[in-house]
Amino acid sequence: MTAIIRAEHVAKIFRQQVRRSGMLGPLKDFVMPVTRPVNAVDGISFDIEPGEAVGYLGPNGAGKSTMIKMLTGILAPSAGTVSVLGRNPQAQRVLNARQIGVVFGQRTQLWWELPLIESFELHRRMYRVPASVYQRNRADLVEMMELSAFIERPVRHLSLGQRMRAEIAMALMHDPKILFLDEPTIGLDVVAKDVVRKFLSRINRERGTTIILTTHDLQDIEEICPRLIMVDDGKLLFDGTIAALRVTFGARRRLTLEFAQDPGHVELDRAEPAGGEGVQRLFLLPDDQRPLLHILSALKAGADLRDVRLHEPGIEEIIRTHYQSKVSA
Amino acid sequence: MRDTLSLLFYLMRLRVRTRLEFRAALLITWLAQAFGYAGIFASIWLILTRFGTIGGWTWPQMAFLLGFHTLGYALGACFTLVQLRRMEDIVLGGEFDTLLVRPLNPWAYLVFSGFNIEYGGHIALGAGLVAWAWPQLSIAWTTDTCLLLAGGLVSAALITASMITIIAACALVLGRARYLFGIYFDFWELSRYPASIFAAPFQVALLSIIPLGYMAYVPVAVLLGRPVPYLGAFAEIAALSAGPLSAVAAFFFWRFCLKRYQGGGG
Ligand SMILES: Nc1ncnc2c1ncn2[C@@H]1O[C@H](COP(=O)(O)OP(=O)(O)OP(=O)(O)O)[C@@H](O)[C@H]1O
Ligand SMILES: [Mg+2]
């Protein structure tokens, strides 16, 4: 299959104005502005196949929104190329716009003063959605996102959660092939996040809509996206499945053993002792797929094992470890 | 093309409907604007009753000029001013990004979805003044004068819309434009007087790079049969073409800035 989204050595350099201090600072800034380059995106390449759901993850300022803006035709890359559905999204902005859906978690595309349904109607006209398709999609989306209770209400009266559900529904009204979401769950409560996640994952499965979403919330990715792209400081850190992330970043499972009485010296094959004393002992297990029973069978026959706990690190933990190691390096 | 036009018309209707939901507020705006202008015009009238003329212009002539100016301005501003004056916020707040992901020209979207009936007050006042002054000035009702009146108003509307567009486009690149609107309105206020009363360099500016002289002064002077400095016999054609020429300039300037758009941060 050919890629539906392709980024090749993409870079984006912004020029940020440096503000000077002192009494004459503002005057100098106006007459002779000094700028400094910011490498928001720095040589990133990836391919995304139709039907994939990809999470784009990174700390603040990592360049996530900038990448989304280049893929949706808002900005042109400073170097490299992006291609979406085989097109240059900025050169063919309007054609591209008809086939993608975009949701910005931090801003609205709904018509503030008018009832929600009017925004949908405007969307239908703007994207030239055939009446039958629109009727079907609207009925489906309103039901899935439970919008019927407030569809007649002006958007300004909706809660953030209701509004975000409406935004996402609207972005799908024209059957886009790709849905881009920039922090769709930001500011939502646990319940609303859950609704959005379940919905996106269902749309991805049932309609085959390709999804690419940026987020700070790793749970979004764990629940929606089998594939994860991690960036920091404009650079690609990781691209692959969450399982592969564990291997890449050497995330080890932690095994806790609890004995009835102090077993003395305990040794497990290829497991690194990680503290604990007396009846409780900790080990770090390498990511080598060995079954737990196999590992435990190495224990001395007389050891009176009371409890065994195995802790799988979540991606949050993996990433935190990674960032911490970067800061201390 | 037809689809796009009907979409733009639909956007306009949506905006009008939103405005009509707050009818009382609209009425108050109309009245407030009409009174605001009436106050300024009354003070000009007072000056004229005392001194007879301003730069050789009598009150009915001056009233015609003011009416023409207000009307031409309102026709252009109702499509542009209220929304494009916010351009700084539209860019910095990221609203412009959301326009760029829609399958529509962002300028057309802004202009039509922001169509503003609050200018009803201006239009009534401007048309009223023109209608009152015209018969007193014994301007002949010929095809020529009617064409000049209508064409001059369209030209004035285009100048207004173009200049507002040009200023708004600056926000795409600089992220700022509000102070430029301030400067524009300073010149705009002066352009409701006959340009001939100003110092020569200023006259030249108003007839060239800041084409506000064509908003009202040039077409009205031609209609009244008064000489126009620098332009002479070309005054009529200049009045009619200033609008379309500004529109072309605005079109290219907007495109130039849009190409350099770097997002509103965040
Ligand atoms: N229009 C702009 N002009 C100048 N610099 C910009 C602009 N937009 C973004 N930047 C800079 O580029 C870098 C990446 O910004 P971006 O918005 O892509 O980050 P992000 O990963 O989306 O962060 P966040 O998680 O905070 O949303 C930041 O350093 C930011 O300051
Ligand atoms: Mg962002």
Side-chain angles (χ1 to χ4, degrees), chain A residues 140-157:
Chain A
D140 283 359
L141 292 163
V142 164
E143 197 228 289
M144 277 194 267
M145 282 296 221
E146 295 166 26
L147 307 178
S148 52
F150 49 85
I151 195 162
E152 302 284 353
R153 237 185 268 169
V155 173
R156 71 190 137 93
H157 291 325

Side-chain angles (χ1 to χ4, degrees), chain A residues 2 7 25 42 53 103 118 135 142 159 171 182 186 195 213 241 275 291 300:
Chain A
T2 56
D42 196 355
V103 175
E118 299 279 352
Q135 289 304 335
V142 164
S159 76
D182 193 2
I186 196 159
V195 172
L213 68 89
T241 60
K300 272 182 292 191

Side-chain angles (χ1 to χ4, degrees), chain A residues 7 30 52 78 127 137 156 165 177 185 196 214 245 256 270:
Chain A
F30 184 77
E52 274 197 276
S78 314
Y127 287 81
N137 276 350
R156 71 190 137 93
R165 272 145 62 194
K177 296 203 168 68
T185 55
V196 166
T214 75
L245 178 80
T256 311
R270 273 183 284 164

Side-chain angles (χ1 to χ4, degrees), chain A residues 48-305:
Chain A
I48 293 174
E49 305 288 324
E52 274 197 276
V54 179
Y56 207 82
L57 184 80
N60 288 122
K64 305 180 296 293
S65 300
T66 307
M67 180 54 88
I68 297 286
K69 286 179 192 174
M70 289 190 282
L71 294 176
T72 51
I74 298 170
L75 297 178
S78 314
T81 51
V82 290
S83 128
V84 172
L85 293 155
R87 302 189 189 95
N88 172 340
Q90 205 196 27
Q92 294 179 280
R93 192 183 66 77
V94 171
L95 277 179
N96 185 53
R98 285 195 191 289
Q99 297 193 328
I100 63 169
V102 188
V103 175
F104 296 100
Q106 315 244 42
R107 43 201 71 133
T108 181
Q109 303 193 54
L110 302 167
W111 196 298
W112 209 241
E113 300 95 342
L114 291 176
L116 179 55
I117 194 155
E118 299 279 352
S119 286
F120 288 171
E121 175 64 19
L122 174 60
H123 191 89
R124 175 184 79 73
R125 289 171 184 253
M126 200 169 346
Y127 287 81
R128 301 184 192 155
V129 187
S132 59
V133 176
Y134 174 69
Q135 289 304 335
R136 194 193 60 224
N137 276 350
R138 200 182 78 189
D140 283 359
L141 292 163
V142 164
E143 197 228 289
M144 277 194 267
M145 282 296 221
E146 295 166 26
L147 307 178
S148 52
F150 49 85
I151 195 162
E152 302 284 353
R153 237 185 268 169
V155 173
R156 71 190 137 93
H157 291 325
L158 301 187
S159 76
L160 179 63
Q162 292 171 331
R163 214 190 68 211
M164 194 44 63
R165 272 145 62 194
E167 304 269 357
I168 297 175
M170 187 167 84
L172 287 164
M173 216 57 94
H174 56 289
D175 281 333
K177 296 203 168 68
I178 312 172
L179 182 62
F180 294 92
L181 305 112
D182 193 2
E183 304 196 28
T185 55
I186 196 159
L188 302 187
D189 67 21
V190 198
V191 181
K193 275 186 182 175
D194 195 53
V195 172
V196 166
R197 285 174 188 144
K198 292 223 164 69
F199 173 78
L200 289 176
S201 128
R202 182 168 164 197
I203 288 293
N204 175 246
R205 253 182 298 120
E206 290 177 6
R207 294 194 179 190
T209 310
T210 308
I211 290 182
I212 173 161
L213 68 89
T214 75
T215 183
H216 293 284
D217 191 332
L218 291 154
Q219 221 176 328
D220 287 349
I221 291 177
E222 282 182 313
E223 288 184 26
I224 308 164
C225 309
R227 177 176 168 195
L228 168 69
I229 293 180
M230 223 169 105
V231 291
D232 189 13
D233 218 4
K235 296 192 187 61
L236 189 81
L237 286 184
F238 174 81
D239 178 356
T241 60
I242 292 175
L245 178 80
R246 293 210 168 90
V247 178
T248 311
F249 288 100
R252 288 183 289 181
R253 294 177 294 169
R254 210 164 48 218
L255 179 68
T256 311
L257 300 181
E258 223 177 280
F259 298 91
Q261 49 203 265
D262 193 336
H265 178 71
V266 181
E267 203 178 279
L268 291 178
D269 187 26
R270 273 183 284 164
E272 184 189 323
E277 55 185 24
V279 295
Q280 199 175 50
R281 304 298 171 91
L282 292 163
F283 295 91
L284 289 173
L285 302 183
D287 217 12
D288 57 4
Q289 313 288 314
R290 269 186 307 162
L292 190 60
L293 265 177
H294 187 113
I295 299 170
L296 291 177
S297 66
L299 283 174
K300 272 182 292 191
D304 188 1
L305 199 55

Side-chain angles (χ1 to χ4, degrees), chain A residues 12-14 17 19 30 65 69 72-76 90 93-94 97-98 100 102 104 107-111 113-115 118 121-122 125-128 156 182, chain B residues 1 3-4 6-7 10-11 13-15 17-18 21-22 93-95 97-106 109 113 176 179 258 261-266:
Chain A
K12 182 73 195 180
I13 302 174
F14 289 112
Q17 192 169 348
R19 302 245 172 256
F30 184 77
S65 300
K69 286 179 192 174
T72 51
I74 298 170
L75 297 178
Q90 205 196 27
R93 192 183 66 77
V94 171
R98 285 195 191 289
I100 63 169
V102 188
F104 296 100
R107 43 201 71 133
T108 181
Q109 303 193 54
L110 302 167
W111 196 298
E113 300 95 342
L114 291 176
E118 299 279 352
E121 175 64 19
L122 174 60
R125 289 171 184 253
M126 200 169 346
Y127 287 81
R128 301 184 192 155
R156 71 190 137 93
D182 193 2
Chain B
M1 187 66 198
D3 282 354
T4 310
S6 90
L7 172 65
Y10 181 74
L11 279 170
R13 289 208 317 264
L14 276 186
R15 171 59 64 203
R17 258 188 48 201
T18 333
E21 274 180 29
F22 305 96
E95 197 181 327
D97 288 349
T98 69
L99 300 187
L100 287 174
V101 300
R102 298 178 200 194
L104 187 66
N105 180 305
Y109 182 91
S113 69
R176 284 192 293 176
Y179 67 106
L258 188 59
Y261 176 66
Q262 289 301 309

